[in-house]
Amino acid sequence: MTHLRWGVLGASNFARQHMAPAIHAARGAEFSALATSSAAKAEGFRDFAPGLRVHDSYEALLADVQVDAVYIPLPNHLHVAWTIKALEAGKHVLCEKPLGLKAADFEPVIAARDRTGLFCAEAFMITHHPQMRRARDLLKEGALGNLRHVNVTFSYYNDDLGNIRNQPDAGGGALPDIGVYACGAARFITGAEPREISYAGIEFQHGVDTTARIAGDFGDFTYGAIVSTRMAPRQEIVLHGDKGILRLSCPFNAGVFNQAELHLETSASSITVERFPAVNHYVLQVEAFGRSVLEGAEYPCSLEFSQGTQRMIDMIYAAGRA
């Protein structure tokens, strides 16, 4: 096999706007099949992939012998079940985040991955962006000295109760939707795990969390974050050491929210700016997935890593209840 033939399980707007075009554009990948019962939705995908095969059910796509890998953009509460079904159907799986709604949800998925010998990962695309990797490298190289504090902000405004992100039965909420980034980015850049969530002020509306203010302890450094789906759009990561400060101006929606930039300040008169204007981390994610399947290359975001992020979110919910 020289490339992966991909199927997409569901015609979500996100899949149409971002991930399906990324599969279509990625080296070593072919966007070959889509599962949707809506002919109108299928046309949006055929605009850039005219030879696309369209199946009218998820089961039919999983039975397609011309599909090697499946991307799953379904509502959060369906991720575990369909990931396992796809693995058992002999497909490699890239599932949209969050794969599980609690850390224990990852266990049957990991077991299915190991049992089938297939590749499976959560679609945490920021780990493939050079901005995020450069931040990790700068920290390892000692550019900040000793890291003392990490602060993360991620917010946007969405009060549409018809949107699945605001529906409790679909696994909605700010923490499942964007808390994954606030927690996972800190863990990825620092390589550290939280020892304690000392404070979590969580606001709920209509059964889902809409804003969380978080304070935590990673041992060598402290952590603070705000994630919200009821605040004006903002995203930023600040890593504060005893010798320098590193700011990531657009760490999560690079190229959409703004241009991805790193600002390294090591003194009042020394500020270095690195920009990443033309990087598509969705394409990089698909290409990295393909290299792992076809060549056995190391993948930066294993299921175990993603489970660790969900474990941190579980800690935040527990601190909020306390």
Side-chain angles (χ1 to χ4, degrees), residues 126-246:
I126 65 171
T127 61
H128 304 274
H129 199 291
Q131 173 191 221
M132 202 65 57
R133 296 182 176 212
R134 179 64 172 147
R136 183 181 59 180
D137 290 345
L138 285 168
L139 184 63
K140 285 182 178 178
E141 292 165 6
L144 307 184
N146 296 310
L147 183 63
R148 302 303 303 275
H149 184 71
V150 174
N151 197 79
V152 185
T153 302
F154 194 6
S155 62
Y156 67 91
Y157 195 87
N158 178 2
D159 64 352
D160 177 8
L161 299 184
N163 189 285
I164 59 171
R165 293 167 183 81
N166 290 312
Q167 296 176 1
D169 292 343
L175 283 167
D177 187 35
I178 56 178
V180 174
Y181 295 112
C183 297
R187 295 178 58 248
F188 180 78
I189 293 172
T190 67
E193 299 292 345
R195 294 183 178 181
E196 179 188 15
I197 300 298
S198 53
Y199 173 78
I202 305 176
E203 300 175 14
F204 287 85
Q205 294 182 24
H206 305 286
V208 299
D209 57 284
T210 56
T211 299
R213 298 169 178 85
I214 306 155
D217 177 16
F218 276 70
D220 292 333
F221 61 92
T222 54
Y223 171 88
I226 295 177
V227 297
S228 179
T229 55
R230 295 296 191 275
M231 296 172 70
R234 182 187 172 196
Q235 53 183 268
E236 184 181 46
I237 299 174
V238 180
L239 297 103
H240 200 154
D242 58 9
K243 303 294 184 183
I245 299 169
L246 182 63

Side-chain angles (χ1 to χ4, degrees), residues 41-59:
K41 289 184 178 180
E43 286 308 307
F45 292 79
R46 282 198 168 115
D47 287 344
F48 58 88
L52 188 68
R53 295 191 310 283
V54 177
H55 298 285
D56 61 4
S57 71
Y58 303 153
E59 290 86 355

Side-chain angles (χ1 to χ4, degrees), residues 9-150:
L9 214 62
S12 72
N13 288 334
F14 181 81
R16 177 178 55 81
Q17 294 169 0
H18 296 290
M19 277 302 298
I23 293 169
H24 186 64
R27 291 169 294 181
E30 175 189 343
F31 178 35
S32 61
L34 172 71
T36 178
S37 59
S38 169
K41 289 184 178 180
E43 286 308 307
F45 292 79
R46 282 198 168 115
D47 287 344
F48 58 88
L52 188 68
R53 295 191 310 283
V54 177
H55 298 285
D56 61 4
S57 71
Y58 303 153
E59 290 86 355
L61 186 143
L62 295 184
D64 187 341
V65 296
Q66 297 183 69
V67 170
D68 307 307
V70 171
Y71 167 65
I72 300 177
L74 300 174
N76 294 343
H77 69 298
L78 300 176
H79 287 174
V80 168
W82 282 101
T83 294
I84 293 173
K85 288 180 181 180
L87 288 168
E88 291 177 341
K91 314 300 184 187
H92 305 285
V93 180
L94 180 65
C95 181
E96 196 49 61
K97 58 78 195 162
L99 191 153
L101 294 172
K102 54 183 182 295
D105 291 344
F106 283 78
E107 295 299 335
V109 179
I110 291 171
R113 177 202 64 187
D114 294 346
R115 181 173 65 253
T116 60
L118 296 164
F119 192 71
C120 180
E122 182 183 69
F124 195 50
M125 76 290 184
I126 65 171
T127 61
H128 304 274
H129 199 291
Q131 173 191 221
M132 202 65 57
R133 296 182 176 212
R134 179 64 172 147
R136 183 181 59 180
D137 290 345
L138 285 168
L139 184 63
K140 285 182 178 178
E141 292 165 6
L144 307 184
N146 296 310
L147 183 63
R148 302 303 303 275
H149 184 71
V150 174

